[in-house]
Amino acid sequence: MSGLTSAAGVIALLDEQDDDLKVYALQKLNAIVDQFWAEISDAVSKIEIMYEDTEFKDRQLAALVASKVYYHLGEFDDSLNFALGAGALFDLSSKSEYVDTIISKCIDKYIALRIQEQEVPQNAEPMDSRLKDVVEKMFDRCYQDGEYKQAVGIALEAHRLDVVEYCIKAGGPSVILPYVYELTMTVVLDQAYRNTLLQLLVDQFRKLSEPDYVAINQCLVHLGDHAASAELLQNLVSTGDQKDLLMAYQLAFDLENNATQKYLTKVSDSLTSSSDEATQAKVDKIKSILSGKETIKLQLEFLCRNNHTDMLILKNSKTVLDARLSVYHSAVTFANAFMNAGTTSDDFLRQNLEWLSRATNWSKFSATAALGVIHKGHLSQGLKLLEPYLPQEGVTASPYSEGGSLFALGLIHANHGDEVLEYLRGVLKDTRIEVLQHGACLGLGTAGMATDSDEIYEDLKNVLFSDSAIGGEAAGLAMGMVMLGTASEKALDEMLQYAHETQHEKIIRGLAVGISLVMYGKEDAADDLIEKLSADKDPILRYGGMYTIAMAYCGTGNNKAIRRLLHVAVSDVNDDVRRAAVTALGFILFRSYKQVPRIVQLLSESYNPHVRYGACLALGISCAGTGSLEAIELLEPMTKDNVDFVRQGAFIALAMILMQQNETQNAKVAGVRTMFEEVIKKKNEDALAKFGAVLGQGIIDAGGRNVTISMQSRSGHSNMSAIVGVALFTQFWYWFPASHFLSLAFTPTAIIGVNADLNMPEIEFTSNARPSLFAYIPPTKPPTTVAIEKVATAVLSTTAKAQAKAKRSKAAAESDVMDEDEKPEVKTEEAKEEEAKAAAKPKKEATSEKLGNLARVVPAQLKYISFDKDARYVPVKKDVTGGIVVLLDNKSGEPETLIASTTATAAAAAAAGAADSAMEVEEEEAPLPEPFTYPFSDE
């Protein structure tokens, strides 16, 4: 056949009457179809007739030839139909591009029909049994080859739970179960089907010889099954086994890190009391962990102990910028708040009281609210800290500092507001001052986030309906925060209706962003609302529509959402809407951040500065803390953009990306930090660009260089408070005080080990990486003072001769008494050079280092962390993901060495009670430094 130049002779045989000749022709055509398909295509109708002839003895061969012809013609649907008709002749094991393509099309069609069967069974197209046979053969082939992951991928998309279960059993649960969980959370878009899969996973994880409680816990959070979570914790406590108890504590810490306030409250309430005192004490500890108090206390200890804030950076920026300009004063206020977030260090404020006193109006509001960021998490002392500023009966103070203090109270109790919600509600009801309403609303929203409280919602709605622009804007935002992720129809209807009725742009914008928060995480359930908002004639509501897409699909990487955002980014007539659309890409793609630079590359070169600004924020939000070089390369040209606010966005985004990065990790760090300083010092630089550079300085060193912006929790869940915090932070475009919301996204990067008593023992673990790779940035060196050289004094020649004679006579006298045997050794020039080289030669750096409890461990460092299996303390869960780690004590009978808290000291009574036990370290909050009062004059 190799010399054949045409298939015409073989094709002619198809017209013969004898079936044997036709079969011979088909056999020859099957062998040469890949070469002569163009010629054969003219006779394909004859081949089709043979296939359709029920009396023709080799119909399957005719179908196979026709299938190959249609494949080469690009008619894949027809090719698939004939391939199915070829039966056994269509060999699935054959390795060819034709077979691979048809199998792929076969699977795609099978999946589409299966989905149709599940979603709209009454209108579903009947499944071809031949199609089903091919897919079953494919599954069998996967089983034989041991390709269980490939079978799982097809089965998940085709809604074949029976195949998923079989693959888990046959392929080994330890390998397949984590893979199924990962695909369930990343590939499966339909929420109802995802929940079915999660329930299947829970059952499978329970069946393991050693049940994977951590994975079960994660699945239950996604399912929202608080009763099952409580039952899991209760069962672990009731076994009486120490390891199970420690696992219960670890699960409680993980729950607190991943779940909403509402979910945690329900889990806590579902835990049953026990008549046994010892068991009840354990349950009480779990409730304490779920309340967040234990986590916050430990994180506060870490941030205070490891504070590496570089005060000189702040001091230099404050000195250069004119404090009389509100924008500069606010910028330094925010930078100080970010740098000291959660550290409780207000040294900068104490050292600059005169500068601080220049704050007026909303700058004063921001400055007071900054206390909430600095003392974030200091729950037990929140009210006491802010007492000098909070509204008091009979005392007339500045409404701006009072309003700021209410917002600060919310920030301190962010997402853990049980203790202050009633107080804030009372202030909100008792005041008619707009600024106080504004602060109280923001405080209520932040402290009551995701509580789904109807009482708080009604209080906020009353402020909204007063139609005050300042109070109404904050009320709209706060309503969204309180009803976060509930998709409450009542809330959505009322908020949307009022947004259409009011004339205040501020209120409409507050409601638009608030509506987006209500639909947090709802994915396709939010599509109808998104459609309605995106088609609204009011650009502010279309702006809200973009944020609704961002919140509903955050972290999903959903292609439909991305397409919609890209379409709006280049087609909407309003700049704000286009900017919001591009910014929203960062929220949707933060799990696959490496794709973002490629997606926004063209947008970053847009003629429209608002689109370029949105591209900056999208890169910063999605790539925060990663040090992504691709993102930095896109942002660097925008730091020289001719529009001031684009430069501002680039500075903020660069700071987000380079958080906790040093020069060893990323060579760009030093250049970016220097650029911030130069922009701030530049006299003719625009105010907005300087504002961005100062904010950048605060963000890049946030939390004493011990926090990062993390949009997902350590176990892979979406970090709700971080996503909401960043979304609200982006509203500083309209309202500078919204900058403080970024503190909600700050996540401490530490490994904090606790024992069965939730105390911190001294532990040691290894970081198998060079110490310099993840070291802190060295502090800025203060400028050295240059000593002024003195001019030599003029000496007369006669005086000089007399002095020289005296020196000679003295030297002669000394040489007479010197011991001849003790002459000093004179070094040669060669020896001196060798010594200098040895001193200059760098010492070889260690390849690993030992770290202790409360050590900073950045996300990129976690893969290098290892615990010695033979050590006294080992983590109770297998994979160390950072954060709070419950430790199993392998020598429980021996005395422990505990780390004393720097933020707390034992109260006298507690110390007396604990004297009997050397193991017990029961601590109360430390006495605070003298109350710090802002030097604001009352207005």
Side-chain angles (χ1 to χ4, degrees):
M1 271 316 160
S2 58
L4 202 64
T5 57
S6 172
V10 181
I11 293 169
L13 293 175
L14 295 174
D15 295 324
E16 295 290 333
Q17 296 299 316
D18 188 351
D19 282 357
D20 289 337
L21 285 174
K22 290 179 182 177
V23 169
Y24 174 78
L26 288 171
Q27 288 171 345
K28 295 300 180 186
L29 289 174
N30 187 40
I32 62 171
V33 66
D34 292 335
Q35 185 179 358
F36 297 106
W37 60 268
E39 271 187 88
I40 300 169
S41 65
D42 291 334
V44 74
S45 56
K46 297 175 184 176
I47 300 171
E48 284 186 50
I49 291 169
M50 290 181 196
Y51 167 65
E52 289 164 5
D53 183 359
T54 53
E55 295 179 2
F56 184 64
K57 65 180 181 181
D58 216 338
R59 293 176 62 221
Q60 290 185 339
L61 181 59
L64 183 63
V65 175
S67 174
K68 289 182 178 180
V69 172
Y70 279 118
Y71 162 73
H72 286 293
L73 288 170
E75 298 291 340
F76 296 124
D77 288 339
D78 289 334
S79 179
L80 171 59
N81 287 331
F82 283 109
L84 294 175
L89 292 181
F90 179 61
D91 184 6
L92 296 177
S93 60
S94 174
K95 300 289 183 185
S96 71
E97 190 176 332
Y98 159 71
V99 172
D100 290 344
T101 304
I102 298 305
I103 288 175
S104 172
K105 293 294 175 185
C106 189
I107 291 169
D108 287 344
K109 186 164 185 180
Y110 179 76
I111 289 169
L113 291 173
R114 284 284 302 172
I115 291 172
Q116 202 176 38
E117 273 181 20
Q118 301 293 322
E119 293 179 356
V120 279
Q122 64 276 14
N123 299 328
E125 185 183 330
M127 179 78 72
D128 190 329
S129 58
R130 299 172 303 171
L131 183 66
K132 195 182 290 185
D133 290 342
V134 171
V135 175
E136 291 298 339
K137 285 178 186 175
M138 265 303 302
F139 283 136
D140 290 338
R141 180 174 152 190
C142 289
Y143 302 153
Q144 289 165 10
D145 297 345
E147 295 288 347
Y148 293 105
K149 287 186 176 180
Q150 192 174 350
V152 163
I154 298 167
L156 280 177
E157 286 197 75
H159 292 230
R160 286 289 301 275
L161 299 186
D162 56 323
V163 175
V164 174
E165 279 194 64
Y166 177 80
C167 290
I168 290 169
K169 289 173 188 171
S174 59
V175 178
I176 303 298
L177 271 174
Y179 181 69
V180 175
Y181 175 76
E182 184 187 347
L183 289 183
T184 301
M185 299 314 301
T186 54
V187 175
V188 179
L189 299 178
D190 181 64
Q191 279 193 313
Y193 177 48
R194 187 190 303 152
N195 289 345
T196 306
L197 283 169
L198 287 169
Q199 194 59 61
L200 170 70
L201 285 169
V202 169
D203 296 338
Q204 293 295 324
F205 280 124
R206 288 186 196 276
K207 289 177 184 175
L208 296 176
S209 54
E210 287 186 20
D212 190 339
Y213 295 117
V214 175
I216 292 170
N217 198 36
Q218 289 179 16
C219 292
L220 292 176
V221 172
H222 282 299
L223 287 166
D225 192 346
H226 60 86
S229 289
E231 185 186 353
L232 178 64
L233 294 173
Q234 198 93 45
N235 291 343
L236 286 169
V237 170
S238 60
T239 62
D241 183 63
Q242 180 72 357
K243 192 171 182 181
D244 284 348
L245 175 65
L246 295 175
M247 180 56 76
Y249 291 160
Q250 184 67 67
L251 296 184
F253 277 118
D254 290 351
L255 272 176
E256 195 281 327
N257 187 37
N258 295 320
T260 64
Q261 278 193 76
K262 183 181 177 182
Y263 188 88
L264 292 170
T265 305
K266 286 184 175 180
V267 172
S268 187
D269 292 344
S270 301
L271 293 171
T272 55
S273 300
S274 173
S275 55
D276 180 41
E277 286 187 16
T279 306
Q280 186 57 41
K282 295 169 185 175
V283 172
D284 289 341
K285 273 185 183 171
I286 289 177
K287 287 187 176 183
S288 176
I289 295 169
L290 292 174
S291 72
K293 290 176 183 175
E294 298 296 333
T295 302
I296 286 172
K297 184 174 76 174
L298 293 166
Q299 289 180 344
L300 196 64
E301 177 67 29
F302 161 70
L303 291 172
C304 294
R305 190 180 282 263
N306 295 286
N307 187 4
H308 281 70
T309 302
D310 194 339
M311 300 298 282
L312 195 58
I313 294 175
L314 270 176
K315 184 182 173 186
N316 291 342
S317 297
K318 178 197 72 81
T319 306
V320 172
L321 298 172
D322 186 355
R324 291 172 297 179
L325 286 176
S326 171
V327 64
Y328 293 150
H329 196 289
S330 294
V332 176
T333 299
F334 297 136
N336 172 53
F338 292 159
M339 282 189 184
N340 292 292
T343 65
T344 71
S345 169
D346 51 20
D347 293 349
F348 178 77
L349 301 175
R350 292 176 184 279
Q351 293 165 11
N352 297 282
L353 295 176
E354 189 273 330
W355 169 84
L356 197 57
S357 66
R358 297 181 192 174
T360 58
N361 301 335
W362 288 106
S363 292
K364 188 179 290 189
F365 180 96
S366 298
T368 317
L371 276 180
V373 179
I374 293 169
H375 293 281
K376 183 173 179 280
H378 217 158
L379 303 184
S380 60
Q381 298 292 332
L383 281 165
K384 189 175 178 182
L385 280 163
L386 296 169
E387 194 176 357
Y389 321 104
L390 291 168
Q392 297 171 18
E393 284 187 29
V395 179
T396 306
S398 166
Y400 292 98
S401 60
E402 289 183 349
S405 68
L406 294 170
F407 184 21
L409 192 61
L411 290 168
I412 288 175
H413 292 263
N415 217 7
H416 298 91
D418 293 345
E419 297 171 12
V420 295
L421 287 175
E422 286 305 314
Y423 171 79
L424 288 167
R425 285 181 65 196
V427 173
L428 188 62
K429 287 176 182 175
D430 295 342
T431 187
R432 291 291 174 268
I433 302 170
E434 286 187 328
V435 180
L436 285 185
Q437 287 179 336
H438 186 87
C441 287
L442 293 180
L444 267 174
T446 311
M449 196 186 298
T451 53
D452 190 16
S453 167
D454 287 331
E455 294 84 0
I456 298 174
Y457 174 80
E458 290 300 324
D459 291 342
L460 294 166
K461 190 170 73 173
N462 291 336
V463 175
L464 178 72
F465 287 174
S466 68
D467 210 40
S468 153
I470 292 171
E473 179 187 34
L477 290 172
M479 288 159 79
M481 284 191 272
V482 170
M483 306 304 283
L484 180 66
T486 61
S488 165
E489 287 188 22
K490 176 183 175 241
L492 289 170
D493 289 344
E494 290 177 346
M495 292 167 80
L496 195 55
Q497 185 181 347
Y498 196 77
H500 283 123
E501 289 174 3
T502 185
Q503 299 299 310
H504 293 292
E505 283 193 6
K506 276 179 170 290
I507 295 177
I508 300 171
R509 187 172 295 110
L511 286 167
V513 177
I515 286 168
S516 71
L517 298 178
V518 176
M519 296 308 290
Y520 170 83
K522 291 303 172 189
E523 298 182 26
D524 48 1
D527 284 350
D528 290 342
L529 178 65
I530 290 168
E531 200 68 49
K532 191 188 294 184
L533 290 171
S534 301
D536 201 286
K537 63 180 180 181
D538 188 336
I540 301 175
L541 287 176
R542 295 204 302 278
Y543 172 91
M546 298 306 102
Y547 272 93
T548 306
I549 297 173
M551 293 297 99
Y553 288 97
C554 57
T556 62
N558 185 283
N559 286 329
K560 180 177 67 175
I562 293 167
R563 278 197 300 272
R564 184 189 284 269
L565 289 171
L566 289 172
H567 173 69
V568 173
V570 295
S571 64
D572 201 278
V573 294
N574 184 272
D575 286 335
D576 287 352
V577 180
R578 296 177 71 174
R579 186 180 70 247
V582 184
T583 304
L585 290 169
F587 290 96
I588 291 173
L589 289 164
F590 66 76
R591 289 187 202 278
S592 47
Y593 68 89
K594 291 180 180 177
Q595 294 181 23
V596 180
R598 180 174 52 82
I599 289 173
V600 303
Q601 183 174 8
L602 289 175
L603 296 172
S604 69
E605 297 166 7
S606 168
Y607 71 92
N608 188 318
H610 291 264
V611 172
R612 298 200 298 274
Y613 178 90
C616 291
L617 287 192
L619 288 166
I621 290 164
S622 57
C623 302
T626 63
S628 168
L629 289 172
E630 294 87 352
I632 293 170
E633 284 171 9
L634 279 183
L635 288 166
E636 280 177 334
M638 287 191 275
T639 60
K640 300 177 179 68
D641 199 279
N642 59 355
V643 179
D644 53 0
F645 62 76
V646 177
R647 297 198 296 278
Q648 178 196 82
F651 296 148
I652 291 170
L654 281 170
M656 287 178 162
I657 292 167
L658 292 172
M659 288 178 85
Q660 295 191 319
Q661 300 274 317
N662 61 27
E663 288 182 56
T664 310
Q665 273 177 287
N666 196 315
K668 301 280 187 182
V669 171
V672 170
R673 288 176 175 271
T674 306
M675 178 176 63
F676 288 162
E677 290 176 20
E678 289 173 353
V679 168
I680 293 165
K681 289 176 183 175
K682 206 171 176 183
K683 287 190 176 179
N684 60 346
E685 182 60 87
D686 293 300
L688 281 181
K690 285 190 178 185
F691 181 88
V694 178
L695 234 58
Q697 285 185 328
I699 293 167
I700 202 170
D701 287 337
R705 294 177 174 166
N706 291 307
V707 301
T708 189
I709 293 175
S710 180
M711 305 287 271
Q712 56 183 327
S713 68
R714 295 178 185 89
S715 54
H717 291 255
S718 293
N719 186 344
M720 183 192 69
S721 61
I723 291 166
V724 173
V726 174
L728 294 174
F729 164 73
T730 59
Q731 305 309 308
F732 82 86
W733 175 277
Y734 306 101
W735 198 238
F736 281 163
S739 302
H740 286 310
F741 280 115
L742 189 63
S743 64
L744 301 181
F746 292 159
T747 308
T749 51
I751 286 183
I752 306 171
V754 295
N755 61 12
D757 298 321
L758 305 186
N759 293 321
M760 296 175 289
E762 287 190 0
I763 60 172
E764 196 175 71
F765 54 92
T766 308
S767 171
N768 298 296
R770 291 178 295 136
S772 64
L773 192 60
F774 301 108
Y776 285 100
I777 293 269
T780 309
K781 292 180 181 176
T784 53
T785 52
V786 181
I788 300 170
E789 292 184 9
K790 293 182 179 179
V791 179
T793 310
V795 182
L796 295 173
S797 60
T798 51
T799 309
K801 285 177 183 176
Q803 288 175 345
K805 188 176 180 182
K807 280 182 183 178
R808 283 197 299 273
S809 59
K810 186 178 179 182
E814 286 178 354
S815 64
D816 291 340
V817 297
M818 186 181 291
D819 188 350
E820 290 293 327
D821 295 334
E822 295 183 0
K823 287 184 180 179
E825 185 182 343
V826 180
K827 290 184 180 178
T828 62
E829 288 296 321
E830 290 84 354
K832 288 179 181 176
E833 283 180 20
E834 287 294 326
E835 277 187 17
K837 283 180 183 176
K841 191 176 181 181
K843 291 181 182 178
K844 190 175 181 181
E845 190 180 3
T847 56
S848 65
E849 63 176 326
K850 294 289 184 183
L851 299 173
N853 210 343
L854 293 164
R856 182 184 87 153
V857 178
V858 300
Q861 191 177 0
L862 283 169
K863 60 187 175 186
Y864 299 105
I865 297 298
S866 63
F867 280 78
D868 185 358
K869 292 178 182 176
D870 300 324
R872 175 171 181 176
Y873 297 102
V874 291
V876 74
K877 71 175 181 180
K878 295 174 187 174
D879 300 322
V880 178
T881 54
I884 296 168
V885 180
V886 179
L887 302 167
L888 178 65
D889 186 356
N890 290 323
K891 300 175 183 176
S892 56
E894 298 180 13
E896 292 181 277
T897 307
L898 302 178
I899 297 173
S901 173
T902 56
T903 59
T905 57
D916 298 333
S917 170
M919 296 284 293
E920 202 169 321
V921 183
E922 194 67 32
E923 293 168 334
E924 296 294 329
E925 289 291 341
L928 292 162
E930 289 299 312
F932 170 66
T933 309
Y934 275 119
F936 296 146
S937 56
D938 294 346
E939 292 179 4

